[in-house]
Amino acid sequence: MSDGGQAIAAVVGIGRTAYTRDPAGPRSPLSLAAEASRAAVADAGLDVADIDGVASYSMNDSATFGQVPYAIGAGELTWNLDVYAGGTGSFTSVHAAAMAVSSGVCRYALVYRSLCGRSGLRYSQGSGMASLLNHPDQVFDFASGYAVPPQWFAMWARRHQARYGTTPEDLGALAITLRAHAGRNPHAVMRDPLTLEAYLGSRMVSDPLRVYDCSLEVDGACALVVTTPERARDLAQPAVLIRGGEFTWNSGGSWNNWPDFTEMYTAKIADRFWNRFGLRPADVDVACVYDCFTYTLLVSLEGLGFYKPGEGGDYFRDGRAGYGGDVVVNPHGGLLSEGYIHGFNHHYEAVAQLRGQAGERQVDGASTAVVTAGGGPYGGALLLEAAR
Amino acid sequence: MSDLSAFQPVPDALTGPFWDGARGGRLILARCPRCRAWQHPPLEMCRACAVPLQPEAAPLWGVVYSGTVMRHPAVPLYPTPYTVVIVEVGGVGGPRIVTRVVGTDGDVAPGTRVDIAMRPLPGGDFMVPVALVSTREEVR
Ligand SMILES: [Zn+2]
């Protein structure tokens, strides 16, 4: 529990589609976004006409902030924002919506992410790469066959391995824990238990990352409705307060020039984040931490101070990231086992947990959650709290 | 198999010196004439001094910062497996470039000293730097 300070906004509605890998006749990102958005508005007990702000983010597949409100029959907007970003956009879009309602430029902001990550543009297949080929930050990398995220994060992980002796079993402990969590989540795409043997025997993608170290490409959408804490009191669901967030961007250009691949954005924001709220990692009940790859999760938690550098494998193996441990990390299974909705499903899960609506995977007494977004040099973290 | 012509760079004023240099067996990177900082990928102006950067030949050796072996064929230029490393050119702390390794498709540990040479980029007439695993001792 935190210092009880002011919240800047509240999440009052959550909605999502099914997350699918083999859609029978793929749907458009617009259709998925509309379904999730309508669900979030209905969940809040609002009418679509109440929505007067919209935000989203993308780098590839998406439905734009112009299309979605139109498709769901929303009226006039007084605020909108389309963020060109990777995983960081999951923080930036929600944080911006919180500031928008807080400052009064809109009253009810709809924030969503929609993508056909499986049937549409697939990073793992190199789809859409040609458009990035001559990007000034990447043109030289392409020529060496170094172009897609699994390769980048593998490169980063190898440095961590060299410095801290991180083993395949350490990375595997993260994948196994998240899969175990997903086993209790009917919405998760991968729910069968993962053994260490199966993990170690799985196909290598880029050393040291195996296929089970990589997030699950799915089609789907997820949406939130954000408003002020005052308005939240009169709505249909228990409000979840957004206490605030911390963000870092201290790198332009190529990721290759980030000084130390053994740390990511969380190392830069940790002190600011915890000091701002008067909290320590041990005070958090639920941590929804961006996990595009196991290595991202390993080092992001490390940077936030959940464990000392190099101790992540033991932390997961010893059950400290699971039920009955120090904090439940990604109780939905994360991007690794629930599905890759570009990090936005982490917000959904945190809100469901803080409302006490997470069903079989409910974390007992969950009142405080951290939600992070990003990988590599940049990203952010939000603190969410159950309203009392 | 993808058409490799789609994977050829389109040199411009900023990247042209790199590709021209590679054809001549040289590693040409942008460097500030005033503070001597290297800048790769290149920018027009030095980030610190705001003066135009100049193309300059960098040393043809370096130290591996990190590396990975590509096993999933995400980029069709090279048959998998192949090893890619980030090299700090001229020694630890030097400008970083990404290179494919020639001579092994296995792990190349951070700290390994490598020589840099130019090899053809498949599908066109460009040359691209590669790392040759040197027999010299590791640098820490
Ligand atoms: Zn300078």
Side-chain angles (χ1 to χ4, degrees):
Chain A
M1 197 166 292
S2 78
D3 57 7
Q6 292 294 307
I8 60 170
V11 180
V12 294
I14 52 177
R16 62 186 177 184
T17 64
Y19 304 152
T20 56
R21 275 174 81 73
D22 297 298
R27 295 167 58 191
S28 70
L30 177 58
S31 159
L32 295 166
E35 179 186 332
S37 297
R38 283 199 180 96
V41 173
D43 178 63
L46 290 165
D47 187 88
V48 168
D50 295 317
I51 298 300
D52 57 359
V54 172
S56 190
Y57 63 99
S58 67
M59 284 190 86
N60 47 7
D61 230 39
S62 182
T64 69
F65 67 14
Q67 297 172 296
V68 173
Y70 178 74
I72 64 173
E76 184 185 5
L77 305 180
T78 60
W79 178 77
N80 65 10
L81 179 68
D82 216 355
V83 183
Y84 176 76
T88 57
S90 181
F91 171 90
T92 304
S93 57
V94 174
H95 193 234
M99 293 188 288
V101 298
S102 173
S103 65
V105 300
C106 67
R107 297 183 312 147
Y108 298 101
L110 170 70
V111 195
Y112 64 87
R113 180 72 174 102
S114 178
L115 72 166
C116 291
R118 179 73 181 185
S119 66
L121 294 173
R122 293 183 64 187
Y123 250 143
S124 70
Q125 305 298 313
S127 335
M129 274 196 312
S131 66
L132 296 172
L133 174 63
N134 280 290
H135 189 287
D137 292 338
Q138 287 176 319
V139 57
F140 302 113
D141 299 0
F142 267 86
S144 294
Y146 182 66
V148 295
Q151 303 173 333
W152 308 335
F153 286 94
M155 185 74 82
W156 286 51
R158 180 68 184 86
R159 183 75 190 183
H160 196 275
Q161 229 177 21
R163 176 154 178 198
Y164 295 113
T166 310
T167 64
E169 288 79 4
D170 290 337
L171 294 173
L174 277 63
I176 290 165
T177 300
L178 266 56
R179 181 63 64 78
H181 291 175
R184 296 205 243 175
N185 175 11
H187 214 78
V189 170
M190 298 283 259
R191 301 182 61 194
D192 294 336
L194 180 63
T195 63
L196 183 59
E197 291 66 35
Y199 167 83
L200 292 172
S202 71
R203 187 166 55 84
M204 194 67 91
V205 174
S206 284
D207 298 16
L209 299 184
R210 293 169 164 78
V211 70
Y212 290 133
D213 291 300
C214 304
S215 46
L216 275 179
E217 295 172 312
V218 298
D219 290 10
C222 184
L224 308 180
V225 177
V226 175
T227 190
T228 60
E230 294 72 29
R231 289 191 196 98
R233 291 193 200 105
D234 304 324
L235 297 175
Q237 298 288 350
V240 169
L241 302 175
I242 301 176
R243 287 291 313 283
E246 292 290 342
F247 179 72
T248 181
W249 190 290
N250 185 24
S251 165
S254 169
W255 278 28
N256 302 334
N257 291 330
W258 182 245
D260 185 355
F261 285 11
T262 70
E263 62 179 31
M264 295 187 184
Y265 66 102
T266 55
K268 302 299 177 194
I269 60 175
D271 288 347
R272 274 192 274 146
F273 183 82
W274 299 121
N275 291 339
R276 174 169 172 181
F277 303 113
L279 291 175
R280 295 173 300 124
D283 299 321
V284 172
D285 304 304
V286 173
C288 292
V289 173
Y290 196 82
D291 58 331
C292 51
F293 299 91
T294 50
Y295 176 63
T296 318
L297 179 61
L298 178 88
V299 78
S300 295
L301 286 163
E302 193 174 279
L304 282 172
F306 282 91
Y307 40 78
K308 293 196 178 71
E311 296 180 358
D314 285 337
Y315 188 90
F316 275 80
R317 259 189 303 275
D318 296 345
R320 296 176 65 188
Y323 291 81
D326 296 15
V327 59
V328 184
V329 174
N330 294 351
H332 52 330
L335 309 182
L336 291 167
S337 279
E338 188 186 56
Y340 179 81
I341 309 295
H342 214 170
F344 211 75
N345 41 329
H346 285 15
H347 298 295
Y348 186 107
E349 177 66 10
V351 171
Q353 290 286 350
L354 296 176
R355 286 180 180 179
Q357 296 175 350
E360 209 189 325
R361 68 181 187 285
Q362 180 64 46
V363 176
D364 286 343
S367 69
T368 304
V370 57
V371 179
T372 84
Y378 25 80
L382 286 173
L383 185 73
L384 303 185
E385 277 183 354
R388 283 175 298 277
Chain B
M1 195 66 185
S2 304
D3 180 1
L4 296 184
S5 65
F7 285 88
Q8 304 306 304
V10 180
D12 57 20
L14 213 49
T15 61
F18 179 95
W19 299 116
D20 289 345
R23 284 200 186 89
R26 299 195 302 163
L27 177 65
I28 302 295
L29 304 179
R31 192 171 198 186
C32 177
R34 200 162 113 183
C35 73
R36 307 299 291 151
W38 296 96
Q39 177 66 45
H40 185 75
L43 296 169
E44 277 87 356
M45 302 284 185
C46 176
R47 297 169 63 215
C49 312
V51 299
L53 298 174
Q54 305 292 335
E56 187 171 317
L60 289 172
W61 70 276
V63 177
V64 170
Y65 178 72
S66 195
T68 177
V69 181
M70 310 303 190
R71 301 189 186 273
H72 178 77
V75 185
L77 284 167
Y78 308 104
T80 53
Y82 60 96
T83 303
V84 172
V85 291
I86 292 178
V87 177
E88 294 186 328
V89 174
V92 172
R96 290 181 186 170
I97 64 169
V98 173
T99 62
R100 189 171 51 93
V101 175
V102 169
T104 178
D105 57 15
D107 182 59
V108 177
T112 304
R113 182 181 164 127
V114 294
D115 289 319
I116 296 165
M118 301 298 157
R119 292 285 185 275
L121 177 68
D125 63 351
F126 286 91
M127 299 286 277
V128 63
V130 297
L132 310 175
V133 181
S134 144
T135 53
R136 277 166 283 188
E137 74 210 63
E138 284 196 4
V139 181
R140 288 289 174 192

